[in-house]
Each structure stands twice: as C-alpha cells, then as structure tokens.
Amino acid sequence: MAPSPDRGGASAAGRHAVDQRPVRDRAGRRVRALARRLLGRIEDGSPTPRRSNPDAVVDCAVYVNGRREPGHLHYADAYARARHGRDAFVWLGLHDPGAAVLAAVGRTFGLDELTVEQALADGHRPTVQRNGPVTLLVLRTAGYVEHDELTDTSEVIDTGDVMVLLGDRFAITVRHGAAGALRSVRADIERRPALLAAGPWAVAYAVCARMVDSYLEVAGHVERDLERVEEAVFARDRTADIQHIYQLKREVVEFKRAVLPLQAPMRTLLEPDGPPRALHRWFVDVDGRLSRAVDRVAAYDDLLTSIVQSRLAQLAVEQNNDMRKIAAWAAIAATQTGIAGIYGMNFDHMPELAWRYGYAGALTLMAAAAVFLYRLFRRSGWL
C-alpha cells in the first residue's frame, strides 16, 4: 500500500532534520572551541584583540623576574597577566591623564576615590602616604631652562610633579608638567633586571634616583648663573640690575620648595616597614645624594640673599654719593647766585659801583669762589 501524503511529508521532514544534525554539531563545536580559547586568554592574562591604550598612556609593560615581557598590552590585560603570573608586576606610565582615564585606571587597579583625585591634581607637596595596600609617593620634578641672559621675567627652573602608586602587583607613575620625563628612567632600570626583580618598589627607587640626579644637575646650572650675577654685582661698572637678582631668587625659592620637602618622605622610606630589604641600601644612597642637593640649594638661597643685601647697600651708597654731588654743585651755584644777587640790588651807596673794573672784579670773584669750592669738594670726595 502506498503511504499517505501526511506520512510521506513527515518522513521527509524527519530525514531533513537528521541531515541537518551534523551541521549543527559542527557549529556547536566551533562555538565551544572559540569560547574555550577566549576563556583561556582571560585565565592566562593574554591580551584581548583590538584593544589599545589611551593617549595618556606613555608605556605599559609586564615584568617577570625583572625582565620585560614582549608585546604592547592594554593596561587591564597587562594587570590581569601580572596577577596570574609568578614574580610579575605591571608598570603603567601616564602623562597628564584626564579624569576619565584615571577613573578607568582606578577601577582596574582597585584604587580608592581619594587616591584617584590626588593623582589627577598637580602641585602636591612631596610626601609618602599609605592607603591600605597602595602606597602613594609624590615627588617634584625640576628642569633647567636655558637662557642667554637673565631678565626680569626669565624662567630659570621648570617644575612639575610625579606620583608613583605602588601595589602588590603594579607600579603606576603619573607625571604632570613638561619636566621629569620617565622614558629614560624605564630604559635604565630595564638594563638592570636584578634590581627590577625586587618588584614595584624598584620603580619607586628608579624614579627617586632620577629626580635627585636632576636636582643636582639643575643646581650645577644655577650655580653658574649665580657666579655671573655675583661678578656683575661686584664688578667696577656694576651692571647687575636688582630686578634680575630678585627673579633668580624667586626661581631658586621655587627650586627649594621642590627639593627640601622631600627629606621627610625619604626618611619614611628608610623605615623598616618601607621598601623591601633588598632595596634599602639603594634608597640610602638616594637619601645621601638628596642631602647634597639640599645643602647646595640652601647655600644658593643664602648666597642670593647676601647678594641682594649687598646690591641694596650699593644702591644706598650710590644714592648717597649722588646726593653729595648734588649738594656740592648746589653750594657752588649758591655762591655765584649770592654774589650776583648782592651786586644786582642797585642801591645808590654800594662799594665798587663807580669803579672801572668793578664788573670784571665781580666776575673774577665768582670764578675764584667756584674754583675754590670745586677743589674743596673734590678733595673731600663729594665730587
């Protein structure tokens, strides 16, 4: 008997479903394999494709046993890899980041709101703060501005700040301002893997060492400016202007505010609960160089104060000399005026009115009195 149309249709649909089953199985296997690969990437900390860092990110890298891992990673992927790796940490470098970028970085690295706000603003005083597992180190940067001559508005020292955020598996450097670029710092410390193997605190040491070295370098340039100002102040022609000296003193005071306050945070870093023991002697070396920089800057400030006082004393002496010269010439002129006034009264009974040589004699007396007074004032140092 021939099958009915309904049964035939049902049989065809069943055969079609059976034929499509291997296709669905293969598609399912591909989806599951892709999911396993993506899950493996996440568990291994591998980077997600098509993910780039913001413009504020200068560099981001993962370091394992003091050596940089290859590749350019997004900071979130780098931190994930560092957390799952052994003896690994991530170093994220930021330059003038915006609020949105810092907020995203804070969420990724587990930073609290206050720490993010502090990293966003500039102009902080050098300090060390511990906010739970995160340590915030603030340093001031300094750079010497080349100039042909010192003027009333010359910028001698350019300052900024660098903030170093240290955690168990990360080091974040946030730089504000043009001075204090950290590319060379990263390059130098990467050539010392044994030191970089100490972890994120090795980054803090490298930044502190570079900042203190820059202080000493700027101090050398300022010393040469001071020598030129000192020569100009005590030269015979005295070409130094008091406004120029004040401008240099203002720049040195700004430099002093960047260097001197770092002493207390550096002492804090030398305490037992500070950096790892392996880095203690390196921080001691930085503290010694900082002391030299502090001594030099303080000496420059005192020297500039002495130069300003000397210049003010010179101005007072010069004004006194000018007043004496004016008084001497006024006395000479008063003598001539007195003689001329007496003989210009035109009284009837006056001596020498009818004398033939009276006019010449009066002129001769005036000239003789002027010469006598001039020689007298010249000998006394008034002229």
Side-chain angles (χ1 to χ4, degrees):
M1 183 187 313
S4 64
D6 293 341
R7 292 181 180 179
S11 300
R15 287 194 301 271
H16 181 71
V18 172
D19 294 339
Q20 293 295 324
R21 192 175 303 150
V23 177
R24 288 197 299 268
D25 292 342
R26 287 194 297 271
R29 285 195 296 271
R30 292 196 188 99
V31 171
R32 287 192 294 272
L34 180 59
R36 284 195 299 270
R37 285 198 297 270
L38 291 176
L39 182 61
R41 285 179 179 268
I42 295 174
E43 293 177 350
D44 296 339
S46 301
T48 304
R50 299 185 181 92
R51 200 174 187 185
S52 60
N53 285 309
D55 294 337
V57 176
V58 179
D59 198 356
C60 180
V62 176
Y63 296 88
V64 179
N65 291 322
R67 300 189 181 278
R68 177 169 181 159
E69 292 291 293
H72 299 280
L73 306 176
H74 188 271
Y75 61 84
D77 301 325
Y79 185 47
R81 177 180 294 186
R83 291 177 62 186
H84 289 86
R86 183 178 180 182
D87 297 329
F89 72 94
V90 59
W91 180 358
L92 173 63
L94 302 173
H95 180 217
D96 287 333
V101 173
L102 268 182
V105 170
R107 289 192 297 269
T108 301
F109 290 89
L111 306 178
D112 57 31
E113 183 179 356
L114 179 59
T115 303
V116 172
E117 290 180 357
Q118 290 175 331
L120 184 61
D122 58 352
H124 292 287
R125 183 181 176 89
T127 184
V128 173
Q129 299 178 6
R130 293 184 174 91
N131 302 321
V134 179
T135 300
L136 172 63
L137 174 61
V138 180
L139 303 98
R140 298 287 292 171
T141 64
Y144 182 76
V145 180
E146 296 290 344
H147 52 274
D148 296 332
E149 61 180 2
L150 192 64
T151 63
D152 299 352
T153 58
S154 294
E155 186 178 6
V156 180
I157 301 172
D158 182 22
T159 59
D161 55 34
V162 170
M163 300 182 183
V164 184
L165 299 167
L166 302 171
D168 182 45
R169 293 289 182 141
F170 65 85
I172 304 174
T173 54
V174 183
R175 182 169 63 91
H176 297 281
L182 301 180
R183 288 185 180 273
S184 57
V185 176
R186 188 186 290 262
D188 292 341
I189 196 67
E190 285 179 354
R191 289 193 288 267
R192 304 166 68 183
L195 184 61
L196 195 56
W201 276 99
V203 177
Y205 157 73
V207 175
C208 291
R210 177 53 56 89
M211 293 302 105
V212 173
D213 289 343
S214 67
Y215 297 160
L216 293 173
E217 181 181 355
V218 171
H221 292 291
V222 172
E223 184 175 2
R224 286 191 287 272
D225 285 339
L226 280 171
E227 291 175 353
R228 289 195 292 266
V229 169
E230 191 175 11
E231 291 175 358
V233 167
F234 296 102
R236 186 177 298 273
D237 54 357
R238 295 174 185 173
T239 58
D241 195 351
I242 189 68
Q243 288 82 2
H244 300 171
I245 305 174
Y246 272 122
Q247 176 63 18
L248 183 58
K249 183 170 179 59
R250 284 195 296 267
E251 294 292 316
V252 171
V253 168
E254 183 180 358
F255 185 33
K256 185 177 179 180
R257 290 172 181 169
V259 178
L260 267 64
L262 185 58
Q263 288 181 294
M266 192 58 62
R267 295 287 190 274
T268 303
L269 294 179
L270 298 179
E271 295 177 355
D273 58 343
R277 191 66 183 174
L279 295 173
H280 184 267
R281 65 188 184 96
W282 297 100
F283 279 98
V284 170
D285 178 69
V286 173
D287 182 64
R289 283 180 286 167
L290 177 62
S291 299
R292 292 197 300 271
V294 168
D295 293 340
R296 294 180 67 177
V297 174
Y300 296 160
D301 189 30
D302 295 339
L303 179 59
L304 269 173
T305 301
S306 300
I307 292 176
V308 170
Q309 293 175 351
S310 300
R311 185 55 184 154
L312 291 175
Q314 289 176 354
L315 291 175
V317 171
E318 291 173 359
Q319 291 176 356
N320 188 32
N321 291 335
D322 293 339
M323 292 300 297
R324 291 195 299 178
K325 290 178 181 180
I326 293 172
W329 286 112
I332 295 174
T335 303
Q336 315 305 309
T337 303
I339 296 174
I342 291 173
Y343 280 93
M345 291 180 182
N346 296 324
F347 291 115
D348 292 337
H349 302 285
M350 289 187 68
E352 292 88 22
L353 286 179
W355 186 32
R356 180 179 180 181
Y357 300 103
Y359 182 71
L363 292 179
T364 302
L365 177 61
M366 294 170 66
V371 171
F372 173 75
L373 291 175
Y374 177 80
R375 291 175 65 86
L376 180 64
F377 288 129
R378 185 78 174 178
R379 187 178 302 146
S380 63
W382 282 45
L383 290 176

